[in-house]
Amino acid sequence: MTKNDLLGFGQSGRFVEVERHFGARSVVRGSLFSSRIPISLHDREFGRAKVSRSSLGPLVIGAVGSTGHDVTVREAGALTLLIPVRGKVFTEIGGETRSAEPGSALLLPRGTRKTRVEGRNGASFAANVLTLPPDVLGVERYIDHGSGIVLDAAVSRDVAHLMQTVRFLIDLLEADAKLFDRPGVVQSWSTLVAGVLDQTMESFLGDGPSGDAIASPEAWAYVGRAEEFMRSTLADIVTTDDIAREVGVSRRTLETSFRKIRGETPAKVLLAMRLHAARRMLLSPDGPPSVTEVCLDCGIGHHGRFSAAYNAAFGEAPSVTLRRR
């Protein structure tokens, strides 16, 4: 594994390496978080991890790269946005576990959490991290309790926009550090990122364009469990009734919860997840070799309808995407 296999920035731009771990050896000069228990590498002999960070006004922007590790974080003062670039992350808060992989993100509340990160297909785990005090947002009431929220780009275009904004900011911080020495630039960027996150949360949580009142905690729990089930069993789910049985509610209750929070039915959210999963497989060099196999892996049984929905979502046929692999 080379240095570049761990998504870190060393001393480039405004980023400073604050942690490096290799087997039993560690160098720690700081942290992304207010307090944490040291990283426990899965491979205690050859495992590696690296953490880099930069500050931008009230925001802390970071990057984590790892062959795989566990860590307990105690974050008392800031909310955390964790955006996987490679691999998968699992976070347990209050006995409930949330997970994210590329195409989704975790927005985590203040408090103590246990996190596990894993690489995939021989590649190390990598993620972008953003921490910010809740008083810079208008959404603290939504997430400063419970086990956090999975933000899925397949469900909301605003989530995709948020991820792109954070990625663009990180590229700028790495490539053009002097830009942020100019008067007003730091304040402008911190305001922009907070505003994009605020807008994303309002839209994603159902307090935006749909005009519905904030859904009950029970509805949030139903939708959260349903979407976790959808993500983990895309190839197996046949009907909305399957999802409702897994969540432990009636089909009507589940659909009402989704309409209030997502503005869509569970079936439409599931289709969006399958389309985005199919696109990732079609573009991946390690993905299935044919559109038919991609459909099977994503639980899609009707190829003609899939092709039409895929074309409507991405502006090209699945076969065209596959040829660009």
Side-chain angles (χ1 to χ4, degrees):
M1 180 181 295
T2 67
K3 177 180 177 182
N4 290 333
D5 286 330
L6 295 179
L7 183 76
F9 301 95
Q11 306 298 319
S12 67
R14 290 175 65 98
F15 281 92
V16 177
E17 186 178 316
V18 293
E19 293 186 51
R20 181 181 286 271
H21 307 268
F22 179 44
R25 294 176 291 171
S26 297
V27 177
V28 179
R29 300 170 182 164
S31 177
L32 288 177
F33 308 107
S34 57
S35 175
R36 63 166 185 75
I37 295 173
I39 283 174
S40 175
L41 292 169
H42 297 163
D43 184 342
R44 300 186 179 224
E45 186 174 4
F46 298 109
R48 298 185 184 187
K50 187 166 74 168
V51 180
S52 300
R53 64 168 281 167
S54 179
S55 296
L56 196 66
L59 312 181
V60 173
I61 302 97
V64 177
S66 176
T67 55
H69 70 258
D70 296 313
V71 65
T72 297
V73 174
R74 298 187 182 97
E75 181 52 72
L79 311 177
T80 301
L81 179 68
L82 202 160
I83 307 174
V85 178
R86 295 194 302 268
K88 193 166 185 176
V89 57
F90 305 84
T91 295
E92 179 186 342
I93 303 176
E96 292 194 35
T97 300
R98 298 283 184 262
S99 65
E101 54 191 334
S104 62
L106 292 176
L107 185 60
L108 303 170
R110 297 175 291 190
T112 300
R113 58 182 181 262
K114 295 179 181 179
T115 298
R116 179 181 183 87
V117 306
E118 301 175 351
R120 285 288 188 272
N121 301 320
S124 59
F125 171 82
N128 300 322
V129 182
L130 175 69
T131 72
L132 68 169
D135 58 6
V136 306
L137 295 174
V139 297
E140 178 180 0
R141 65 188 184 277
Y142 293 122
I143 60 100
D144 211 24
H145 56 81
S147 54
I149 295 170
V150 180
L151 302 174
D152 197 328
V155 175
S156 170
R157 292 183 181 179
D158 286 325
V159 174
H161 181 215
L162 172 63
M163 293 178 181
Q164 292 166 359
T165 301
V166 173
R167 181 67 256 174
F168 183 64
L169 172 59
I170 287 175
D171 288 343
L172 280 179
L173 286 166
E174 186 182 15
D176 192 2
K178 293 183 179 180
L179 169 67
F180 295 88
D181 294 330
R182 298 175 186 173
V185 173
V186 167
Q187 180 61 44
S188 296
W189 265 102
S190 59
T191 300
L192 172 64
V193 172
V196 172
L197 179 54
D198 200 0
Q199 176 181 329
T200 301
M201 293 300 294
E202 288 185 353
S203 172
F204 193 81
L205 296 178
D207 192 30
S210 67
D212 288 325
I214 300 299
S216 68
E218 291 80 9
W220 279 111
Y222 301 153
V223 171
R225 291 202 297 269
E227 290 181 345
E228 192 74 22
F229 176 62
M230 290 178 188
R231 278 186 286 270
S232 63
T233 57
L234 281 179
D236 302 322
I237 301 171
V238 177
T239 68
T240 301
D241 290 329
D242 294 332
I243 305 169
R245 276 192 295 271
E246 176 68 21
V247 175
V249 297
S250 69
R251 176 187 179 121
R252 181 176 179 180
T253 296
L254 187 67
E255 289 184 334
T256 299
S257 298
F258 266 83
R259 286 194 178 97
K260 283 186 176 181
I261 293 170
R262 295 288 178 253
E264 298 285 1
T265 65
K268 287 188 177 180
V269 171
L270 177 60
L271 175 60
M273 288 184 179
R274 283 174 163 156
L275 291 173
H276 281 262
R279 186 168 180 82
R280 288 194 295 270
M281 291 182 189
L282 289 167
L283 289 171
S284 172
D286 300 320
S290 70
V291 174
T292 298
E293 290 184 58
V294 167
C295 287
L296 292 173
D297 286 349
C298 293
I300 298 166
H302 195 294
H303 294 187
R305 291 176 186 170
F306 163 68
S307 295
Y310 187 95
N311 203 326
F314 304 114
E316 63 183 19
S319 58
V320 174
T321 303
L322 181 61
R323 287 197 294 271
R324 294 196 289 110
R325 176 180 288 178

